[in-house]
Amino acid sequence: MREPSLLPVFGKLGLKAPVALVATPVSSAGVVSRLRELLAAHGGMVLKLSVIAWTVLILGAVFFMMQG
């Protein structure tokens, strides 16, 4: 009897998908390549921090609108 294939699981229990870097033109090789390397290494943390910052921004806007 054939076993079903495992569903892809992301996060702590599963394997992370490999990050493919796209070649950039020579003119933007400095800053853009460093940003891509940074996002490839710390992408999950950047996503979590951006969600937290967005939530704080929305809650702050609601707070100041309620004060007015």
Short mmCIF file of all heavy atoms in Angstrom, two decimals:
data_model
loop_
_atom_site.label_atom_id
_atom_site.label_comp_id
_atom_site.label_asym_id
_atom_site.label_seq_id
_atom_site.Cartn_x
_atom_site.Cartn_y
_atom_site.Cartn_z
N MET A 1 0.84 -1.18 0.00
CA MET A 1 0.00 0.00 0.00
C MET A 1 0.89 1.25 0.00
O MET A 1 1.85 1.34 0.75
CB MET A 1 -0.89 -0.01 1.24
CG MET A 1 -1.84 1.11 1.31
SD MET A 1 -2.96 0.83 2.70
CE MET A 1 -3.71 2.39 2.76
N ARG A 2 0.54 2.18 -0.86
CA ARG A 2 1.35 3.38 -1.01
C ARG A 2 0.97 4.40 0.05
O ARG A 2 -0.20 4.67 0.29
CB ARG A 2 1.10 3.97 -2.40
CG ARG A 2 2.06 5.08 -2.76
CD ARG A 2 1.90 5.45 -4.22
NE ARG A 2 0.83 6.41 -4.44
CZ ARG A 2 1.02 7.73 -4.48
NH1 ARG A 2 2.20 8.23 -4.30
NH2 ARG A 2 0.01 8.54 -4.69
N GLU A 3 2.00 5.00 0.69
CA GLU A 3 1.74 6.03 1.69
C GLU A 3 1.57 7.38 1.01
O GLU A 3 2.26 7.67 0.03
CB GLU A 3 2.91 6.11 2.68
CG GLU A 3 3.04 4.88 3.53
CD GLU A 3 4.14 5.04 4.56
OE1 GLU A 3 4.53 6.19 4.84
OE2 GLU A 3 4.61 4.03 5.07
N PRO A 4 0.67 8.22 1.51
CA PRO A 4 0.49 9.55 0.90
C PRO A 4 1.71 10.42 1.16
O PRO A 4 2.40 10.27 2.18
CB PRO A 4 -0.75 10.11 1.59
CG PRO A 4 -0.84 9.36 2.88
CD PRO A 4 -0.24 8.01 2.62
N SER A 5 1.98 11.31 0.23
CA SER A 5 3.11 12.22 0.41
C SER A 5 2.79 13.23 1.51
O SER A 5 1.64 13.60 1.72
CB SER A 5 3.42 12.95 -0.89
OG SER A 5 2.31 13.76 -1.24
N LEU A 6 3.82 13.65 2.21
CA LEU A 6 3.64 14.62 3.29
C LEU A 6 3.35 15.99 2.71
O LEU A 6 3.95 16.41 1.72
CB LEU A 6 4.89 14.68 4.16
CG LEU A 6 5.24 13.39 4.89
CD1 LEU A 6 6.56 13.55 5.61
CD2 LEU A 6 4.15 13.03 5.88
N LEU A 7 2.43 16.69 3.33
CA LEU A 7 2.13 18.05 2.91
C LEU A 7 3.27 18.96 3.32
O LEU A 7 3.91 18.74 4.36
CB LEU A 7 0.82 18.53 3.54
CG LEU A 7 -0.42 17.76 3.12
CD1 LEU A 7 -1.62 18.24 3.93
CD2 LEU A 7 -0.69 17.95 1.65
N PRO A 8 3.56 19.99 2.53
CA PRO A 8 4.64 20.90 2.92
C PRO A 8 4.27 21.68 4.18
O PRO A 8 3.18 22.24 4.27
CB PRO A 8 4.78 21.83 1.72
CG PRO A 8 3.49 21.73 1.00
CD PRO A 8 2.95 20.35 1.28
N VAL A 9 5.15 21.67 5.14
CA VAL A 9 4.93 22.38 6.40
C VAL A 9 6.02 23.42 6.52
O VAL A 9 7.20 23.11 6.39
CB VAL A 9 4.98 21.41 7.60
CG1 VAL A 9 4.78 22.16 8.89
CG2 VAL A 9 3.94 20.33 7.44
N PHE A 10 5.65 24.63 6.78
CA PHE A 10 6.63 25.71 6.91
C PHE A 10 6.76 26.10 8.36
O PHE A 10 5.83 25.96 9.14
CB PHE A 10 6.20 26.92 6.07
CG PHE A 10 6.12 26.60 4.61
CD1 PHE A 10 4.91 26.35 4.02
CD2 PHE A 10 7.26 26.51 3.85
CE1 PHE A 10 4.82 26.04 2.69
CE2 PHE A 10 7.19 26.20 2.51
CZ PHE A 10 5.97 25.96 1.93
N GLY A 11 7.90 26.61 8.72
CA GLY A 11 8.13 27.04 10.10
C GLY A 11 9.12 26.14 10.79
O GLY A 11 10.04 25.61 10.19
N LYS A 12 8.93 25.93 12.08
CA LYS A 12 9.88 25.19 12.89
C LYS A 12 9.90 23.71 12.54
O LYS A 12 10.93 23.07 12.60
CB LYS A 12 9.56 25.35 14.38
CG LYS A 12 9.77 26.75 14.88
CD LYS A 12 9.46 26.83 16.36
CE LYS A 12 9.63 28.26 16.86
NZ LYS A 12 9.31 28.38 18.26
N LEU A 13 8.76 23.13 12.17
CA LEU A 13 8.70 21.70 11.95
C LEU A 13 9.10 21.30 10.54
O LEU A 13 9.50 20.17 10.31
CB LEU A 13 7.28 21.20 12.24
CG LEU A 13 6.79 21.42 13.67
CD1 LEU A 13 5.36 20.96 13.80
CD2 LEU A 13 7.68 20.71 14.65
N GLY A 14 8.96 22.17 9.59
CA GLY A 14 9.20 21.80 8.21
C GLY A 14 10.49 22.38 7.65
O GLY A 14 11.26 23.04 8.33
N LEU A 15 10.70 22.13 6.39
CA LEU A 15 11.87 22.66 5.71
C LEU A 15 11.52 24.00 5.08
O LEU A 15 10.42 24.19 4.58
CB LEU A 15 12.32 21.69 4.61
CG LEU A 15 12.75 20.32 5.10
CD1 LEU A 15 13.01 19.42 3.90
CD2 LEU A 15 13.98 20.42 5.97
N LYS A 16 12.47 24.87 5.10
CA LYS A 16 12.24 26.17 4.49
C LYS A 16 12.53 26.08 3.00
O LYS A 16 13.43 25.36 2.58
CB LYS A 16 13.14 27.22 5.13
CG LYS A 16 12.78 27.52 6.56
CD LYS A 16 13.61 28.63 7.11
CE LYS A 16 13.21 28.92 8.54
NZ LYS A 16 13.98 30.01 9.10
N ALA A 17 11.77 26.81 2.22
CA ALA A 17 11.97 26.81 0.78
C ALA A 17 13.27 27.55 0.46
O ALA A 17 13.60 28.55 1.09
CB ALA A 17 10.80 27.51 0.08
N PRO A 18 14.04 27.07 -0.51
CA PRO A 18 15.28 27.76 -0.86
C PRO A 18 14.98 29.13 -1.48
O PRO A 18 14.00 29.30 -2.20
CB PRO A 18 15.94 26.83 -1.87
CG PRO A 18 14.84 26.00 -2.41
CD PRO A 18 13.82 25.88 -1.30
N VAL A 19 15.82 30.08 -1.17
CA VAL A 19 15.63 31.44 -1.67
C VAL A 19 16.45 31.59 -2.93
O VAL A 19 17.65 31.36 -2.94
CB VAL A 19 16.09 32.47 -0.61
CG1 VAL A 19 15.94 33.88 -1.15
CG2 VAL A 19 15.28 32.29 0.66
N ALA A 20 15.80 31.98 -4.01
CA ALA A 20 16.49 32.17 -5.28
C ALA A 20 16.81 33.65 -5.44
O ALA A 20 15.95 34.51 -5.31
CB ALA A 20 15.61 31.71 -6.43
N LEU A 21 18.07 33.94 -5.71
CA LEU A 21 18.48 35.31 -5.94
C LEU A 21 18.50 35.59 -7.43
O LEU A 21 19.00 34.79 -8.21
CB LEU A 21 19.87 35.56 -5.35
CG LEU A 21 19.98 35.45 -3.83
CD1 LEU A 21 21.43 35.63 -3.41
CD2 LEU A 21 19.11 36.47 -3.16
N VAL A 22 17.96 36.73 -7.80
CA VAL A 22 17.90 37.11 -9.20
C VAL A 22 19.08 38.02 -9.49
O VAL A 22 19.39 38.92 -8.72
CB VAL A 22 16.57 37.85 -9.50
CG1 VAL A 22 16.50 38.27 -10.95
CG2 VAL A 22 15.39 36.96 -9.13
N ALA A 23 19.73 37.79 -10.61
CA ALA A 23 20.88 38.62 -11.00
C ALA A 23 20.41 40.04 -11.28
O ALA A 23 19.39 40.26 -11.91
CB ALA A 23 21.55 38.03 -12.23
N THR A 24 21.17 41.00 -10.81
CA THR A 24 20.82 42.41 -10.99
C THR A 24 21.84 43.07 -11.91
O THR A 24 22.96 42.59 -12.05
CB THR A 24 20.83 43.16 -9.64
OG1 THR A 24 22.12 43.03 -9.07
CG2 THR A 24 19.79 42.57 -8.70
N PRO A 25 21.47 44.18 -12.53
CA PRO A 25 22.45 44.92 -13.34
C PRO A 25 23.61 45.43 -12.49
O PRO A 25 23.49 45.60 -11.28
CB PRO A 25 21.63 46.09 -13.90
CG PRO A 25 20.22 45.69 -13.76
CD PRO A 25 20.14 44.74 -12.61
N VAL A 26 24.72 45.70 -13.13
CA VAL A 26 25.93 46.11 -12.42
C VAL A 26 25.74 47.45 -11.72
O VAL A 26 26.29 47.69 -10.65
CB VAL A 26 27.12 46.17 -13.41
CG1 VAL A 26 28.37 46.67 -12.72
CG2 VAL A 26 27.34 44.81 -14.04
N SER A 27 24.91 48.33 -12.26
CA SER A 27 24.76 49.67 -11.69
C SER A 27 24.15 49.65 -10.29
O SER A 27 24.45 50.50 -9.47
CB SER A 27 23.91 50.54 -12.62
OG SER A 27 22.62 49.98 -12.74
N SER A 28 23.29 48.68 -10.01
CA SER A 28 22.65 48.62 -8.71
C SER A 28 23.18 47.47 -7.86
O SER A 28 22.49 46.98 -6.98
CB SER A 28 21.14 48.50 -8.88
OG SER A 28 20.85 47.28 -9.53
N ALA A 29 24.38 47.03 -8.13
CA ALA A 29 24.91 45.84 -7.46
C ALA A 29 25.21 46.09 -5.99
O ALA A 29 25.12 45.17 -5.20
CB ALA A 29 26.18 45.37 -8.18
N GLY A 30 25.52 47.32 -5.60
CA GLY A 30 25.93 47.59 -4.23
C GLY A 30 24.83 47.43 -3.20
O GLY A 30 24.80 46.47 -2.44
N VAL A 31 23.91 48.35 -3.17
CA VAL A 31 22.88 48.39 -2.13
C VAL A 31 21.85 47.29 -2.31
O VAL A 31 21.47 46.63 -1.35
CB VAL A 31 22.19 49.78 -2.13
CG1 VAL A 31 21.05 49.81 -1.14
CG2 VAL A 31 23.19 50.86 -1.83
N VAL A 32 21.42 47.06 -3.53
CA VAL A 32 20.37 46.08 -3.79
C VAL A 32 20.84 44.68 -3.44
O VAL A 32 20.10 43.90 -2.83
CB VAL A 32 19.91 46.16 -5.26
CG1 VAL A 32 18.91 45.06 -5.58
CG2 VAL A 32 19.30 47.52 -5.54
N SER A 33 22.07 44.33 -3.78
CA SER A 33 22.55 42.98 -3.47
C SER A 33 22.68 42.78 -1.97
O SER A 33 22.39 41.70 -1.46
CB SER A 33 23.89 42.72 -4.16
OG SER A 33 24.89 43.57 -3.64
N ARG A 34 23.10 43.82 -1.25
CA ARG A 34 23.18 43.70 0.20
C ARG A 34 21.80 43.54 0.82
O ARG A 34 21.61 42.77 1.76
CB ARG A 34 23.89 44.92 0.80
CG ARG A 34 25.40 44.75 0.74
CD ARG A 34 26.10 45.85 1.49
NE ARG A 34 26.51 46.85 0.49
CZ ARG A 34 26.44 48.14 0.63
NH1 ARG A 34 25.97 48.66 1.74
NH2 ARG A 34 26.83 48.96 -0.32
N LEU A 35 20.80 44.27 0.29
CA LEU A 35 19.44 44.12 0.80
C LEU A 35 18.89 42.73 0.52
O LEU A 35 18.21 42.14 1.36
CB LEU A 35 18.53 45.18 0.17
CG LEU A 35 18.65 46.59 0.73
CD1 LEU A 35 17.78 47.55 -0.06
CD2 LEU A 35 18.27 46.61 2.19
N ARG A 36 19.18 42.19 -0.66
CA ARG A 36 18.71 40.84 -0.98
C ARG A 36 19.35 39.80 -0.07
O ARG A 36 18.69 38.87 0.38
CB ARG A 36 19.02 40.51 -2.43
CG ARG A 36 18.05 41.15 -3.36
CD ARG A 36 18.08 40.50 -4.72
NE ARG A 36 17.10 41.14 -5.57
CZ ARG A 36 17.34 41.60 -6.78
NH1 ARG A 36 18.53 41.47 -7.29
NH2 ARG A 36 16.40 42.18 -7.47
N GLU A 37 20.64 39.94 0.21
CA GLU A 37 21.31 39.01 1.11
C GLU A 37 20.73 39.12 2.52
O GLU A 37 20.54 38.11 3.20
CB GLU A 37 22.81 39.27 1.13
CG GLU A 37 23.51 38.90 -0.15
CD GLU A 37 24.97 39.30 -0.14
OE1 GLU A 37 25.46 39.74 0.91
OE2 GLU A 37 25.60 39.17 -1.21
N LEU A 38 20.45 40.34 2.95
CA LEU A 38 19.87 40.55 4.28
C LEU A 38 18.49 39.91 4.38
O LEU A 38 18.18 39.23 5.35
CB LEU A 38 19.78 42.05 4.58
CG LEU A 38 19.19 42.42 5.93
CD1 LEU A 38 20.21 42.10 7.02
CD2 LEU A 38 18.84 43.89 5.96
N LEU A 39 17.65 40.11 3.35
CA LEU A 39 16.32 39.52 3.36
C LEU A 39 16.37 38.00 3.25
O LEU A 39 15.55 37.30 3.83
CB LEU A 39 15.47 40.10 2.24
CG LEU A 39 14.93 41.50 2.49
CD1 LEU A 39 14.18 42.00 1.26
CD2 LEU A 39 14.02 41.53 3.70
N ALA A 40 17.33 37.48 2.51
CA ALA A 40 17.45 36.02 2.40
C ALA A 40 17.84 35.40 3.73
O ALA A 40 17.38 34.31 4.08
CB ALA A 40 18.48 35.67 1.34
N ALA A 41 18.65 36.10 4.50
CA ALA A 41 19.11 35.56 5.78
C ALA A 41 18.09 35.80 6.90
O ALA A 41 17.94 34.97 7.79
CB ALA A 41 20.44 36.19 6.15
N HIS A 42 17.40 36.94 6.88
CA HIS A 42 16.53 37.32 8.00
C HIS A 42 15.11 37.64 7.54
O HIS A 42 14.44 38.49 8.13
CB HIS A 42 17.11 38.53 8.72
CG HIS A 42 18.50 38.33 9.19
ND1 HIS A 42 18.82 37.51 10.23
CD2 HIS A 42 19.68 38.84 8.75
CE1 HIS A 42 20.13 37.53 10.43
NE2 HIS A 42 20.67 38.32 9.53
N GLY A 43 14.64 36.99 6.49
CA GLY A 43 13.32 37.30 5.93
C GLY A 43 12.18 37.10 6.90
O GLY A 43 11.26 37.91 6.97
N GLY A 44 12.21 36.01 7.67
CA GLY A 44 11.13 35.74 8.62
C GLY A 44 11.04 36.78 9.71
O GLY A 44 9.95 37.22 10.09
N MET A 45 12.20 37.19 10.22
CA MET A 45 12.21 38.19 11.28
C MET A 45 11.74 39.54 10.74
O MET A 45 11.00 40.26 11.42
CB MET A 45 13.62 38.33 11.85
CG MET A 45 13.70 39.30 13.01
SD MET A 45 15.33 39.42 13.73
CE MET A 45 16.27 40.08 12.39
N VAL A 46 12.14 39.89 9.51
CA VAL A 46 11.71 41.16 8.91
C VAL A 46 10.20 41.16 8.73
O VAL A 46 9.53 42.16 9.00
CB VAL A 46 12.44 41.39 7.57
CG1 VAL A 46 11.85 42.55 6.81
CG2 VAL A 46 13.92 41.61 7.81
N LEU A 47 9.64 40.03 8.31
CA LEU A 47 8.19 39.94 8.14
C LEU A 47 7.46 40.11 9.46
O LEU A 47 6.49 40.87 9.56
CB LEU A 47 7.82 38.60 7.51
CG LEU A 47 6.34 38.34 7.32
CD1 LEU A 47 5.75 39.34 6.32
CD2 LEU A 47 6.10 36.93 6.86
N LYS A 48 7.94 39.45 10.51
CA LYS A 48 7.31 39.57 11.83
C LYS A 48 7.39 41.00 12.35
O LYS A 48 6.41 41.54 12.88
CB LYS A 48 7.96 38.62 12.82
CG LYS A 48 7.64 37.18 12.55
CD LYS A 48 8.40 36.27 13.48
CE LYS A 48 8.23 34.82 13.08
NZ LYS A 48 9.06 33.92 13.88
N LEU A 49 8.55 41.63 12.20
CA LEU A 49 8.70 43.01 12.68
C LEU A 49 7.83 43.98 11.89
O LEU A 49 7.28 44.93 12.47
CB LEU A 49 10.17 43.43 12.62
CG LEU A 49 11.09 42.76 13.63
CD1 LEU A 49 12.53 43.18 13.40
CD2 LEU A 49 10.66 43.09 15.05
N SER A 50 7.68 43.75 10.59
CA SER A 50 6.84 44.65 9.80
C SER A 50 5.37 44.50 10.18
O SER A 50 4.63 45.48 10.19
CB SER A 50 7.05 44.41 8.30
OG SER A 50 6.63 43.11 7.96
N VAL A 51 4.93 43.28 10.49
CA VAL A 51 3.55 43.07 10.94
C VAL A 51 3.33 43.75 12.28
O VAL A 51 2.29 44.39 12.50
CB VAL A 51 3.22 41.56 11.01
CG1 VAL A 51 1.90 41.32 11.73
CG2 VAL A 51 3.18 40.97 9.61
N ILE A 52 4.29 43.65 13.19
CA ILE A 52 4.17 44.31 14.49
C ILE A 52 4.12 45.82 14.32
O ILE A 52 3.30 46.51 14.94
CB ILE A 52 5.32 43.88 15.41
CG1 ILE A 52 5.15 42.41 15.81
CG2 ILE A 52 5.40 44.77 16.64
CD1 ILE A 52 6.35 41.83 16.52
N ALA A 53 5.00 46.37 13.46
CA ALA A 53 5.02 47.82 13.24
C ALA A 53 3.70 48.29 12.61
O ALA A 53 3.17 49.34 13.00
CB ALA A 53 6.20 48.20 12.34
N TRP A 54 3.16 47.53 11.66
CA TRP A 54 1.90 47.89 11.03
C TRP A 54 0.77 47.88 12.05
O TRP A 54 -0.07 48.78 12.08
CB TRP A 54 1.60 46.91 9.90
CG TRP A 54 0.34 47.19 9.16
CD1 TRP A 54 0.15 48.09 8.16
CD2 TRP A 54 -0.93 46.57 9.38
NE1 TRP A 54 -1.15 48.06 7.74
CE2 TRP A 54 -1.84 47.13 8.47
CE3 TRP A 54 -1.38 45.59 10.25
CZ2 TRP A 54 -3.17 46.74 8.41
CZ3 TRP A 54 -2.71 45.20 10.21
CH2 TRP A 54 -3.59 45.78 9.28
N THR A 55 0.74 46.89 12.93
CA THR A 55 -0.29 46.80 13.96
C THR A 55 -0.21 47.97 14.93
O THR A 55 -1.23 48.57 15.29
CB THR A 55 -0.16 45.47 14.73
OG1 THR A 55 -0.20 44.39 13.79
CG2 THR A 55 -1.27 45.30 15.74
N VAL A 56 1.00 48.32 15.36
CA VAL A 56 1.17 49.46 16.28
C VAL A 56 0.75 50.75 15.60
O VAL A 56 0.11 51.60 16.23
CB VAL A 56 2.64 49.52 16.76
CG1 VAL A 56 2.94 50.82 17.48
CG2 VAL A 56 2.94 48.33 17.66
N LEU A 57 1.06 50.89 14.32
CA LEU A 57 0.66 52.10 13.59
C LEU A 57 -0.87 52.22 13.51
O LEU A 57 -1.41 53.30 13.77
CB LEU A 57 1.25 52.05 12.18
CG LEU A 57 0.93 53.23 11.27
CD1 LEU A 57 1.66 54.48 11.76
CD2 LEU A 57 1.31 52.91 9.85
N ILE A 58 -1.55 51.14 13.21
CA ILE A 58 -3.01 51.17 13.13
C ILE A 58 -3.63 51.45 14.49
O ILE A 58 -4.54 52.28 14.63
CB ILE A 58 -3.55 49.85 12.55
CG1 ILE A 58 -3.06 49.65 11.12
CG2 ILE A 58 -5.06 49.78 12.63
CD1 ILE A 58 -3.52 50.72 10.16
N LEU A 59 -3.13 50.77 15.53
CA LEU A 59 -3.66 51.01 16.87
C LEU A 59 -3.39 52.44 17.34
O LEU A 59 -4.23 53.05 18.00
CB LEU A 59 -3.07 50.00 17.86
CG LEU A 59 -3.53 48.55 17.69
CD1 LEU A 59 -2.78 47.65 18.65
CD2 LEU A 59 -5.02 48.44 17.88
N GLY A 60 -2.24 52.98 16.99
CA GLY A 60 -1.93 54.37 17.33
C GLY A 60 -2.86 55.34 16.62
O GLY A 60 -3.34 56.32 17.22
N ALA A 61 -3.15 55.07 15.35
CA ALA A 61 -4.07 55.94 14.61
C ALA A 61 -5.47 55.89 15.21
O ALA A 61 -6.14 56.92 15.35
CB ALA A 61 -4.10 55.52 13.14
N VAL A 62 -5.92 54.70 15.58
CA VAL A 62 -7.25 54.57 16.20
C VAL A 62 -7.27 55.29 17.54
O VAL A 62 -8.24 55.99 17.88
CB VAL A 62 -7.62 53.08 16.37
CG1 VAL A 62 -8.84 52.91 17.25
CG2 VAL A 62 -7.83 52.44 15.01
N PHE A 63 -6.20 55.18 18.32
CA PHE A 63 -6.14 55.85 19.62
C PHE A 63 -6.25 57.36 19.46
O PHE A 63 -7.02 58.02 20.15
CB PHE A 63 -4.83 55.48 20.33
CG PHE A 63 -4.62 56.24 21.61
CD1 PHE A 63 -5.33 55.89 22.75
CD2 PHE A 63 -3.73 57.29 21.66
CE1 PHE A 63 -5.13 56.58 23.93
CE2 PHE A 63 -3.52 57.98 22.84
CZ PHE A 63 -4.24 57.63 23.98
N PHE A 64 -5.48 57.94 18.52
CA PHE A 64 -5.51 59.39 18.35
C PHE A 64 -6.83 59.86 17.75
O PHE A 64 -7.28 60.98 18.02
CB PHE A 64 -4.33 59.86 17.51
CG PHE A 64 -3.04 59.87 18.29
CD1 PHE A 64 -2.01 59.00 17.95
CD2 PHE A 64 -2.86 60.72 19.37
CE1 PHE A 64 -0.83 59.00 18.66
CE2 PHE A 64 -1.70 60.72 20.09
CZ PHE A 64 -0.67 59.86 19.75
N MET A 65 -7.49 59.04 16.95
CA MET A 65 -8.79 59.42 16.42
C MET A 65 -9.86 59.40 17.51
O MET A 65 -10.78 60.23 17.50
CB MET A 65 -9.19 58.48 15.26
CG MET A 65 -8.35 58.68 14.02
SD MET A 65 -8.70 57.49 12.75
CE MET A 65 -10.22 58.13 12.11
N MET A 66 -9.74 58.47 18.45
CA MET A 66 -10.70 58.41 19.56
C MET A 66 -10.49 59.58 20.52
O MET A 66 -11.44 60.01 21.17
CB MET A 66 -10.54 57.09 20.31
CG MET A 66 -10.88 55.87 19.48
SD MET A 66 -12.59 55.82 18.97
CE MET A 66 -13.37 55.33 20.48
N GLN A 67 -9.28 60.10 20.64
CA GLN A 67 -9.00 61.23 21.54
C GLN A 67 -9.58 62.54 20.99
O GLN A 67 -9.88 63.42 21.76
CB GLN A 67 -7.49 61.37 21.74
CG GLN A 67 -6.86 60.21 22.46
CD GLN A 67 -7.37 60.05 23.87
OE1 GLN A 67 -7.55 61.02 24.59
NE2 GLN A 67 -7.62 58.81 24.26
N GLY A 68 -9.68 62.64 19.68
CA GLY A 68 -10.09 63.90 19.06
C GLY A 68 -11.54 64.18 19.03
O GLY A 68 -12.49 63.67 19.38
#
